[in-house]
Amino acid sequence: MNARQEILARIRRAVAGAPEVEIPRGYRTHVTLEDPVGRFAERVGDYRAVVHVVPAAEVPGRLAELVAGRRMAAPEGLPWLEAVRGAAAELILDGPGLSVAELDRVDGVVTGCAVAVAETGTIVLDERQGRRALTLVPDYHLCVVQAAQIVASVPEALARLTPTSPLTWVSGPSATSDIELDRVEGVHGPRTLEVVISA
Amino acid sequence: MRVALFVTCVNDTLFPGTGRAVVSLLRRLGCEVDFPLAQTCCGQMHLNTGYREEAVRLARRFAGVFAGYDAVVAPSGSCAAMVREQYPRLIGRDFPAVHDLSEFLIDVLEVEDVGAYFPHRVTYHPTCHSLRGLHLGDRPTRLLRKVRGLELVPLPGAEECCGFGGTFAVKNPAVSAAMCADKVRNVLGTGAEVLCAADNSCLMHIGGTLRRQRTGVRVMHLAEILEATE
Amino acid sequence: MSATFLGMPGNLSKNTDFPKNAAKAVQNSQLRFNLRKATHTIRGKRAAVVSELPDWQDLRAAGRAIKDHTLRHLDRYLLQLEEAVTARGGHVHWARDAAEANRIVTDLVKATGEREVVKVKSMATQEIGLNEHLAAHGITAYETDLAELIVQLGHDFPSHILVPAIHRNRAEIREIFLREMPGAPEGLTDEPRALAEAARLHLRERFLKAKVAVSGANFMIAETGTMVVLESEGNGRMCLSLPETLISVVGIEKLLPAWHDLEVFLQLLPRSSTGERMNPYTSMWTGSVEGQDFHLVLLDNGRTRVLADEVGRQALRCIRCSACLNVCPVYERAGGHAYGSVYPGPIGAILTPQLRGMGSELDASLPYASSLCGACYEVCPVAIDIPQVLVDLRAKAPHGLAERAGMRAAWWLFAREGRLAAAQRLAARLRRLIPRRLPGPLGAWTDTRDVPDIPRQSFRDWWKESGS
């Protein structure tokens, strides 16, 4: 028997006669929030990320202010590309030719998101926000979240996502509590997370 | 109401005063108390030390001795939890309901003020099996608050184990003593004269340490305080 | 029972047992202080974020049932997972034990021609002793999680599932960095921020150059073939997304049936573990993505043996959150090393003896490393009844002759009320002769505590005389 067959046989022997289990799903799969945008902003803020809530029309302007003079990277197809391009010192677009070394030289990255979770202050990135390295290597991540992308709870977020796309769930800047459980923001991932909520 | 007292082997042998206090208290509250003489031990020590067969035989004996009583009262959260939580696994469902003293007073007799008088500063330690096994909640402290003259002071870190744990105290003496040292520090910090609990086994452990350290703090079972009158 | 390797060197587990290890640990005031501070901090954080969710007990019940259901049909779900991972270009390997898993990983690394791998914190690879095995084959494994780095640089052993360096304080960590970290900044202070920054600089080049990474996983989804890794620092993302080859070693019990089952566990795990609403980063990938070569090594290493035990199998629900360690009064005083396994604390006390058997003195003493206070069961997000499993394991553990005789004698006394009554009367007559220090194993009691006074009369004698 090869390892696969043997492990499967061991499992079948071990569980023979074990009872079937019903799964009670009494937990909340849908949560109604009075102010999802406000809750999301508050919870992202709790992670010591910088949060801006601005009307949709003012998003390009705010992005321009934030990236002014910085060397930025962005995924192709970002709706606010023109505003960023106009203000940034330099703009590099994600693509197969973009090396990690080049990414390491930019100041920051600007992306949108796939979905955001109000209760946990989480942003989820999928392949439309570029390859995973894009939002990882630069030290500054500027993320635009549109109000319609904000859901209240984790179950609602999962329902909106496509599992086969690589996903990164981001809740605040990178952090560690490995030293005396004292939380320190900024380790290997972007040390600064700035979120612009388009309300 | 006719109730059977399960006094527990520890109380029977080492702390008969607690058993006498339960009898006196329940009679004062109008109960007829019986003590089936064939009772010995619920089997907790054997089960928790890894002697399951012996525990099963003691559990069967217990079920036989107390069969037919409407209510069994035990002045021990730990032994009551043993019966309620472990007996179904050991001997099935055929055994009488056992109440810890404070459950019996509050849930069955529906009394909080038992007419006691105890003019001392007291702190209460909710033993693990009372707290997380039986979920006694605030029943014991509700009873204590109604005792005239008694000043109840909260115990910091109350929900933490004192380190007794039955044979744990002798199998892991270093950790047991370290846990007790922290419990004793918290007790002394309250300035209480009396440490009260619903389990004499934990009190024997904490009290033995308090006495060894010549702290002057007494330990008393809840029943003994509730029984006290002017 | 064949021996299962659990990633702790033999010298830690020979000729010793938990009580002896713990007795040494409680003397270490620095360790006691560090552990107390850390565990109490995280207890408070956990309690706060758990109380925020009104449906916590519902999530817990669902988490428990999803795991039990998965384990009941583990064969079917593993095959489904294999098919899904393979369909998306991943490679699935099966390992019966540590040796087989180590061989598979080593061969995969050798095939890339690389001599270095970066690692994401993983209990499974610690369990099988992968780093040591790779080293023996000329391959260097670099731990990238900050706490794992502290442990690795300090030539130390992990003492906590989530925070492996919990036994070290900032001053000790600074010393380790100054001594062992090439290029540690001069004038490094013991501020956590400065120490984390030093680790960032130390590892950054390594991440950007790495060609091969080794990880574990928190969850695997059978339905979709998706792997899930939760982390905080971003070292996980670095390892999972930058290298050309990724090898994940995952215990077979880490499986969940469906994508939407994550809605339960992504709420249970972060809140139980770091006491956060959500951990900073969670990575999910399915098969080979962005051109990466992906290998999944499914690890048994004793798990099927645990699965065969009706009571003990609930230990396989464990999602390695560490909540049980953080509330355990025994762990808080004894520290993680006393357990002699990569799995310390209450979960270790039930997992290690089941995975490894109870052949050694240490492993046979682990089921007794608990006062059965029940705090672990109360916080466990998948409701593992740890006290119940401990009691069940105690019934299976070997017992010493003297203890057996004592327990047998106690049972004999309790078997007839007349015997008990006679013993009580004898004790009452000898009450003045009880020494202040008891002999034999009971001396452990009187080392720190007085014995209670033996009463003149037992309760039953009082009852017969004047009670009834």
Side-chain angles (χ1 to χ4, degrees):
Chain A
M1 266 207 286
N2 64 26
R4 180 175 179 273
Q5 291 164 329
E6 193 173 330
I7 291 170
L8 291 169
R10 287 174 184 174
I11 292 169
R12 287 170 189 143
R13 268 199 308 276
V15 301
E20 287 297 328
V21 183
E22 286 291 308
I23 300 169
R25 295 198 189 257
Y27 55 86
R28 305 167 304 157
T29 49
H30 184 83
V31 175
T32 311
L33 294 176
E34 253 178 51
D35 176 17
V37 170
R39 176 63 61 86
F40 174 71
E42 168 212 320
R43 294 282 155 100
V44 178
D46 283 351
Y47 297 123
R48 286 176 234 173
V50 185
V51 187
H52 311 256
V53 184
V54 297
E58 290 171 28
V59 169
R62 183 62 61 96
L63 292 182
E65 280 168 34
L66 293 170
V67 302
R70 284 176 149 152
R71 288 168 301 166
M72 297 298 290
E76 289 196 53
L78 184 80
W80 310 276
L81 265 187
E82 286 323 304
V84 174
R85 200 191 303 276
E90 187 185 341
L91 179 67
I92 306 174
L93 288 184
D94 185 34
L98 181 60
S99 72
V100 167
E102 284 172 89
L103 263 180
D104 196 29
R105 283 191 290 268
V106 303
D107 297 318
V109 58
V110 53
T111 71
C113 75
V115 64
V117 189
E119 272 197 343
T120 60
T122 303
I123 293 157
V124 187
L125 310 172
D126 65 8
E127 56 199 353
R128 290 169 297 174
Q129 279 75 52
R131 290 173 310 151
R132 294 169 297 172
L134 189 74
T135 45
L136 173 63
V137 177
D139 202 19
Y140 167 71
H141 182 190
L142 175 60
C143 185
V144 185
V145 176
Q146 294 169 274
Q149 293 178 313
I150 301 176
V151 296
S153 65
V154 170
E156 292 157 87
L158 281 157
R160 285 202 189 185
L161 292 165
T162 310
T164 45
S165 170
L167 300 172
T168 305
W169 296 49
V170 176
S171 306
S174 76
T176 181
S177 298
D178 279 351
I179 301 165
E180 298 179 13
L181 289 165
D182 193 355
R183 187 178 157 107
V184 173
E185 279 84 16
V187 197
H188 305 298
R191 282 181 288 188
T192 309
L193 174 68
E194 196 151 0
V195 179
V196 174
I197 303 172
S198 163
Chain B
M1 183 166 209
R2 205 173 125 81
V3 296
L5 169 64
F6 169 48
V7 78
T8 81
C9 62
V10 167
N11 288 328
D12 182 10
T13 307
L14 295 173
F15 306 102
T18 297
R20 293 196 299 267
V22 176
V23 173
S24 155
L25 173 67
L26 292 181
R27 283 182 178 156
R28 193 167 84 207
L29 296 170
C31 295
E32 199 179 315
V33 185
D34 196 6
F35 178 78
L37 277 161
Q39 66 178 277
T40 56
C41 168
C42 64
Q44 179 172 207
M45 176 179 76
H46 284 97
L47 182 70
N48 287 354
T49 313
Y51 297 80
R52 193 185 159 92
E53 230 174 273
E54 288 83 353
V56 167
R57 287 153 88 171
L58 291 171
R60 289 219 181 90
R61 180 186 172 85
F62 179 98
V65 168
F66 288 98
Y69 283 98
D70 307 331
V72 180
V73 178
S76 162
S78 184
C79 302
M82 163 73 183
V83 175
R84 203 179 295 167
E85 290 193 326
Q86 301 294 343
Y87 275 23
R89 290 186 194 118
L90 298 177
I91 58 167
R93 300 259 158 210
D94 193 20
F95 59 88
V98 175
H99 307 272
D100 166 76
L101 176 67
S102 63
E103 284 177 319
F104 183 72
L105 295 173
I106 294 213
D107 302 343
V108 182
L109 297 185
E110 296 182 352
V111 52
E112 275 189 28
D113 186 346
V114 297
Y117 171 71
F118 191 75
H120 298 282
R121 192 176 163 94
V122 175
T123 192
Y124 178 78
H125 168 55
T127 61
C128 300
H129 293 167
S130 303
L131 190 70
R132 288 177 283 265
L134 294 180
H135 301 282
L136 288 189
D138 64 353
R139 288 182 188 82
T141 46
R142 269 155 70 194
L143 291 160
L144 286 170
R145 277 181 221 289
K146 291 283 160 68
V147 173
R148 270 172 286 287
L150 187 147
E151 184 195 351
L152 185 64
V153 282
L155 177 64
E159 72 295 338
E160 275 183 53
C161 179
C162 69
F164 172 64
T167 43
F168 175 79
V170 286
K171 278 181 173 276
N172 275 288
V175 179
S176 171
M179 287 161 70
C180 198
D182 291 338
K183 183 60 73 181
V184 162
R185 192 174 315 119
N186 283 329
V187 170
L188 295 178
T190 65
E193 302 158 67
V194 176
L195 169 69
C196 172
D199 263 299
N200 273 331
S201 43
C202 306
L203 285 179
M204 177 170 79
H205 166 70
I206 311 170
T209 308
L210 285 166
R211 215 164 92 169
R212 173 62 59 87
Q213 295 178 10
R214 307 272 180 269
T215 60
V217 178
R218 269 188 299 162
V219 297
M220 276 178 88
H221 192 281
L222 177 67
E224 292 167 35
I225 291 181
L226 296 180
E227 191 259 346
T229 49
E230 276 181 79
Chain C
M1 196 179 264
S2 68
T4 299
F5 182 71
L6 273 191
M8 270 286 191
N11 61 4
L12 263 183
S13 57
K14 266 182 202 139
N15 303 320
T16 187
D17 57 15
F18 181 83
K20 288 187 202 123
N21 291 343
K24 266 183 240 142
V26 297
Q27 300 299 323
N28 183 340
S29 55
Q30 179 75 70
L31 176 71
R32 285 276 292 280
F33 180 85
N34 294 354
L35 280 174
R36 185 182 165 81
K37 186 172 174 227
T39 56
H40 284 247
T41 306
I42 200 155
R43 263 182 226 181
K45 282 187 180 174
R46 177 203 161 273
V49 293
V50 163
S51 68
E52 263 181 26
L53 293 187
D55 55 347
W56 182 255
Q57 292 305 334
D58 298 311
L59 288 165
R60 195 170 173 244
R64 169 199 173 132
I66 291 168
K67 280 287 184 182
D68 282 350
H69 166 82
T70 315
L71 291 168
R72 175 66 186 80
H73 301 284
L74 193 57
D75 55 338
R76 172 153 64 82
Y77 287 127
L78 282 170
L79 290 172
Q80 196 187 358
L81 173 82
E82 181 187 48
E83 201 184 318
V85 171
T86 312
R88 306 285 303 184
H91 306 276
V92 179
H93 311 261
W94 300 68
R96 278 165 285 214
D97 53 27
E100 193 164 22
N102 283 330
R103 202 165 50 238
I104 292 168
V105 177
T106 307
D107 289 348
L108 288 170
V109 178
K110 280 184 177 167
T112 65
E114 292 297 316
R115 312 292 286 178
E116 293 185 351
V117 300
V118 286
K119 281 192 70 208
V120 194
K121 177 175 161 31
S122 134
M123 294 309 296
T125 59
Q126 249 176 44
E127 174 187 321
I128 63 176
L130 178 65
N131 293 5
E132 294 73 14
H133 191 270
L134 288 173
H137 288 81
I139 299 162
T140 309
Y142 293 102
E143 292 292 349
T144 64
D145 168 78
L146 178 53
E148 292 288 3
L149 177 70
I150 295 164
V151 167
Q152 193 176 39
L153 289 175
H155 311 290
D156 198 355
F157 299 102
S159 71
H160 189 280
I161 292 175
L162 175 74
V163 199
I166 197 169
H167 54 290
R168 297 289 192 191
N169 67 13
R170 57 185 75 191
E172 294 171 295
I173 294 166
R174 173 178 172 267
E175 278 166 36
I176 292 170
F177 278 13
L178 287 174
R179 198 173 62 231
E180 304 284 345
M181 184 188 274
E186 268 178 63
L188 179 66
T189 70
D190 65 3
E191 271 304 301
R193 186 165 302 279
L195 295 167
E197 174 66 13
R200 175 184 167 97
L201 294 172
H202 171 68
L203 286 172
R204 189 141 183 105
E205 272 312 293
R206 194 150 278 150
F207 283 134
L208 302 187
K209 289 192 324 220
K211 295 280 188 284
V212 184
V214 177
S215 82
N218 295 96
F219 306 104
M220 311 185 278
I221 310 300
E223 173 192 43
T224 58
T226 307
M227 314 292 298
V228 183
V229 169
L230 281 72
E231 52 131 354
S232 294
E233 296 167 15
N235 64 310
R237 294 177 67 190
M238 291 280 181
C239 293
L240 298 171
S241 57
L242 299 186
E244 291 159 9
T245 302
L246 170 63
I247 305 165
S248 300
V249 183
V250 188
I252 51 176
E253 84 286 14
K254 292 276 158 270
L255 204 54
L256 299 175
W259 173 250
H260 75 265
D261 291 323
L262 281 174
E263 68 193 20
V264 174
F265 291 93
L266 288 184
Q267 298 194 72
L268 289 173
L269 182 50
R271 289 178 199 256
S272 299
S273 174
T274 49
E276 293 167 300
R277 297 186 182 113
M278 195 60 92
N279 51 295
Y281 298 134
T282 297
S283 296
M284 301 180 181
W285 74 98
T286 305
S288 163
V289 294
E290 296 175 1
Q292 197 179 45
D293 196 16
F294 172 59
H295 295 269
L296 169 61
V297 182
L298 295 170
L299 177 72
D300 180 347
N301 204 35
R303 285 159 175 76
T304 47
R305 196 162 56 219
V306 183
L307 187 62
D309 189 292
E310 263 179 61
V311 177
R313 64 165 66 115
Q314 57 184 307
L316 295 178
R317 286 184 210 143
C318 177
I319 55 173
R320 311 285 189 261
C321 72
S322 323
C324 64
L325 280 65
N326 299 332
V327 295
C328 179
V330 177
Y331 175 85
E332 183 190 328
R333 275 106 187 154
H337 293 156
Y339 295 80
S341 154
V342 296
Y343 301 113
I347 187 64
I350 64 170
L351 206 48
T352 307
Q354 291 198 84
L355 287 171
R356 213 155 57 177
M358 291 190 273
S360 75
E361 249 186 87
L362 175 75
D363 293 339
S365 71
L366 288 177
Y368 293 92
S370 164
S371 65
L372 304 178
C373 85
C376 48
Y377 177 38
E378 206 172 53
V379 296
C380 177
V382 285
I384 302 170
D385 190 344
I386 293 176
Q388 193 208 340
V389 181
L390 287 168
V391 167
D392 193 68
L393 285 169
R394 290 176 183 187
K396 295 169 182 157
H399 298 126
L401 265 180
E403 186 193 278
R404 277 212 309 265
M407 284 293 165
R408 191 75 201 160
W411 175 80
W412 185 85
L413 283 181
F414 292 145
R416 299 275 184 283
E417 66 272 23
R419 293 174 190 162
L420 178 60
Q424 287 168 337
R425 279 178 216 129
L426 180 66
R429 271 206 296 281
L430 303 175
R431 57 198 287 270
R432 296 281 168 224
L433 305 177
I434 306 285
R436 206 169 124 81
R437 305 271 169 172
L438 294 174
L442 293 176
W445 179 271
T446 49
D447 280 346
T448 57
R449 320 159 185 92
D450 280 1
V451 273
D453 299 325
I454 307 290
R456 283 170 208 286
Q457 192 180 41
S458 68
F459 178 81
R460 66 180 59 241
D461 281 350
W462 170 81
W463 177 268
K464 276 190 276 192
E465 217 177 271
S466 46
S468 52

